[in-house]
Amino acid sequence: MTPEIQTVDRFQYVERGEGPIIIVLHGLFGALSNFNSVLDEFSQSCRVIIPLIPLYQKGVKITLTIDGLTDFIEEFVAVKGLSAFSLLGNSLGGHVALAYTLRNPEKIETLILTGSSGLFETGMGVGFPRRSNYEFVEERVAYTFYSPNMATKDLVDEVYDIVNDNVKTLSVIKIARSAQRHNMSEEIHAIQAPTLLIWGLNDNITPPRVAHEFDKLIPNTELRFIDQCGHAPMMEQPEIFNKLMGQFLQKHLKVLTS
């Protein structure tokens, strides 16, 4: 089922289900659809909310830095009137989730990170020097996954359109550079929320050593690796991802999942 996009004030988002709240934050080249399996699984027992972060949308005023994106999520949470929830973030979304948690520790019941930036990431090539070359873009998208079959034509077309739009490319560069400058190694020791790290064992963007570093620096963590899986476990290995996430939520929030 294609999720219906809702609007409140200047925010667009998907929302489904009732129960404990899970806010999901997508990555730099991510989309709401990246989390379809999470939405389908956890909306049966939780209230899942996925805001669309306007990274490239023309006419939407947002500061393209980690702090600016965190401001945007804070405003969204305020508009929605949310007081306590779990936060799930992939890649850049994980970075923003970390920054939000540090600013608003009282709101975070659990934190779930998968392929998160914030310590180190190789990126997909910030400048895209060969961005007009479709095969090059296809290669970089495939680099995100363990299985090259995950780089579908629709996904490659979407990234190709982004990197061949000068305004969008400048947005990508600004955000990527901000993320690279915004290293959180000196801050995240302050996070006290139960934290689950779900990592692809074959992640080329944020390799397994990054997951081990997060595990060392954040006090209350559980680290789980998924084999034959790259930078987006919720897309590439959705059943295993949902099982691990479900076990974690059962433990900390008594959420019942299938």
Side-chain angles (χ1 to χ4, degrees):
M1 179 171 59
T2 302
E4 178 186 354
I5 295 179
Q6 304 179 44
T7 302
V8 59
D9 288 358
R10 68 185 182 119
F11 302 97
Q12 291 185 305
Y13 62 99
V14 167
E15 179 173 343
R16 189 189 300 169
E18 298 181 358
I21 299 168
I22 304 171
I23 295 180
V24 180
L25 304 181
H26 62 77
L28 180 58
F29 288 96
L32 305 183
S33 60
N34 294 171
F35 291 92
N36 279 347
S37 67
V38 169
L39 183 63
D40 291 342
E41 172 71 20
F42 291 97
S43 62
Q44 299 177 47
S45 54
C46 299
R47 180 183 172 193
V48 182
I49 305 173
I50 313 176
L52 175 62
I53 303 175
L55 302 174
Y56 325 113
Q57 281 74 9
K58 297 175 182 178
V60 178
K61 291 184 178 180
I62 183 171
T63 303
L64 297 175
T65 63
I66 296 298
D67 285 337
L69 300 181
T70 306
D71 292 342
F72 179 84
I73 298 302
E74 284 185 325
E75 186 180 344
F76 175 73
V77 168
V79 167
K80 291 290 291 178
L82 308 176
S83 58
F85 46 86
S86 294
L87 200 50
L88 162 61
N90 170 244
S91 196
L92 177 70
H95 203 152
V96 176
L98 287 163
Y100 183 94
T101 300
L102 287 168
R103 285 195 201 176
N104 304 275
E106 75 287 349
K107 291 184 179 292
I108 305 303
E109 295 178 318
T110 67
L111 177 63
I112 303 165
L113 304 174
T114 182
S116 177
S117 60
L119 295 179
F120 170 83
E121 62 281 347
T122 62
M124 290 176 60
V126 171
F128 277 94
R130 293 164 55 196
R131 57 195 174 121
S132 62
N133 185 311
Y134 187 89
E135 288 72 24
F136 173 74
V137 174
E138 184 176 33
E139 175 187 308
R140 301 312 295 173
V141 173
Y143 184 73
T144 306
F145 302 101
Y146 171 78
S147 171
N149 293 332
M150 292 295 298
T152 64
K153 186 178 185 305
D154 286 347
L155 186 57
V156 175
D157 287 348
E158 184 176 342
V159 174
Y160 183 81
D161 289 344
I162 290 171
V163 300
N164 280 281
D165 180 306
N166 287 336
V167 174
K168 292 180 180 180
T169 297
L170 286 174
S171 296
V172 169
I173 293 171
K174 286 180 182 178
I175 298 165
R177 287 178 176 169
S178 173
Q180 289 170 351
R181 289 192 300 265
H182 197 276
N183 186 282
M184 307 191 76
S185 58
E186 300 297 323
E187 305 172 69
I188 55 178
H189 65 86
I191 293 175
Q192 298 299 317
T195 301
L196 175 63
L197 307 168
I198 305 180
W199 234 259
L201 200 56
N202 312 97
D203 188 340
N204 294 313
I205 309 298
T206 49
R209 67 179 182 273
V210 178
H212 284 296
E213 190 70 8
F214 274 121
D215 190 35
K216 182 176 75 174
L217 293 174
I218 301 175
N220 188 12
T221 54
E222 299 177 27
L223 173 57
R224 301 289 183 265
F225 284 108
I226 302 178
D227 197 7
Q228 298 186 0
C229 184
H231 189 57
M234 69 289 176
M235 296 175 66
E236 193 160 17
Q237 297 284 3
E239 292 184 4
I240 300 175
F241 182 91
N242 288 346
K243 180 179 179 180
L244 294 172
M245 181 172 161
Q247 291 171 344
F248 177 76
L249 293 179
Q250 285 176 6
K251 177 179 178 181
H252 294 284
L253 299 181
K254 310 304 180 188
V255 169
L256 297 177
T257 58
S258 59

